Amino acid sequence: MPAYRTIVVGTDGSATSFNAVDRAAAVAADSDAQLVIVCAFTPPSREDTAEAEDALKDEAYLVVGWTPAEETLRAAEERAAAAGARSIRTLAADGPPVDVLRKAVRDTGADLLVVGNRGLNTLSGRLLGSVPSDVARRAGIDVLIVHTT
């Protein structure tokens, strides 16, 4: 019996999140597990987008709207296949990343969640909360935090 049967990995399209996808795909390949690649997106107003980009310009990569999320998932799926993952699903969902990842874990019955470490020690992570820290506390399953920075 493999160590993991279903692995969920989150990506926002940034280079560091793709490093987490690569690691999750390698684990999925080694375990012959299904890989579920998840991208959370938010359809904000123009004002919200401008404020967030100004406040977080160097601290975070934000997926805004459905189309960028779908493009991110296509690129992540290609990377995962190249890394050896054989069973891959993708999921784009509207909502905060931690909530979207936790729902994906529940809905798929995942037994491992993989995220990158970006945000753990950034200023915005300390002020706004970090996805890696939050999911590590709240996931309810094994969490692999990949060193991506």
Side-chain angles (χ1 to χ4, degrees), residues 87-141:
S87 176
I88 304 168
R89 289 179 42 203
T90 60
L91 171 67
D94 180 1
V98 173
D99 295 342
V100 168
L101 289 170
R102 290 181 66 215
K103 183 174 183 337
V105 163
R106 282 191 311 272
D107 291 351
T108 64
D111 43 12
L112 177 65
L113 174 60
V114 180
V115 293
N117 71 323
R118 185 174 176 125
L120 285 173
N121 293 312
T122 63
L123 175 60
S124 64
R126 289 191 297 274
L127 295 175
L128 304 174
S130 115
V131 170
S133 292
D134 287 351
V135 297
R137 283 192 308 270
R138 300 170 50 199
I141 61 169

Side-chain angles (χ1 to χ4, degrees), residues 7-11 17 19-25 27 35-36 101 105 112-116 135 141-146:
I7 300 168
V8 169
V9 61
T11 184
S17 75
N19 290 340
V21 170
D22 294 343
R23 181 64 59 87
V27 173
L35 180 64
V36 181
L101 289 170
V105 163
L112 177 65
L113 174 60
V114 180
V115 293
V135 297
I141 61 169
D142 290 353
V143 176
L144 172 60
I145 299 176
V146 178

Side-chain angles (χ1 to χ4, degrees), residues 42-80:
T42 305
S45 69
R46 286 198 187 281
E47 294 82 22
D48 290 342
T49 301
E51 288 177 26
E53 286 174 353
D54 187 48
L56 302 174
K57 59 186 160 204
D58 294 328
E59 293 292 328
Y61 185 90
L62 184 64
V63 175
V64 179
W66 178 264
T67 302
E70 288 298 315
E71 291 170 10
T72 293
L73 290 171
R74 272 192 289 282
E77 185 174 14
E78 289 173 8
R79 290 181 71 110

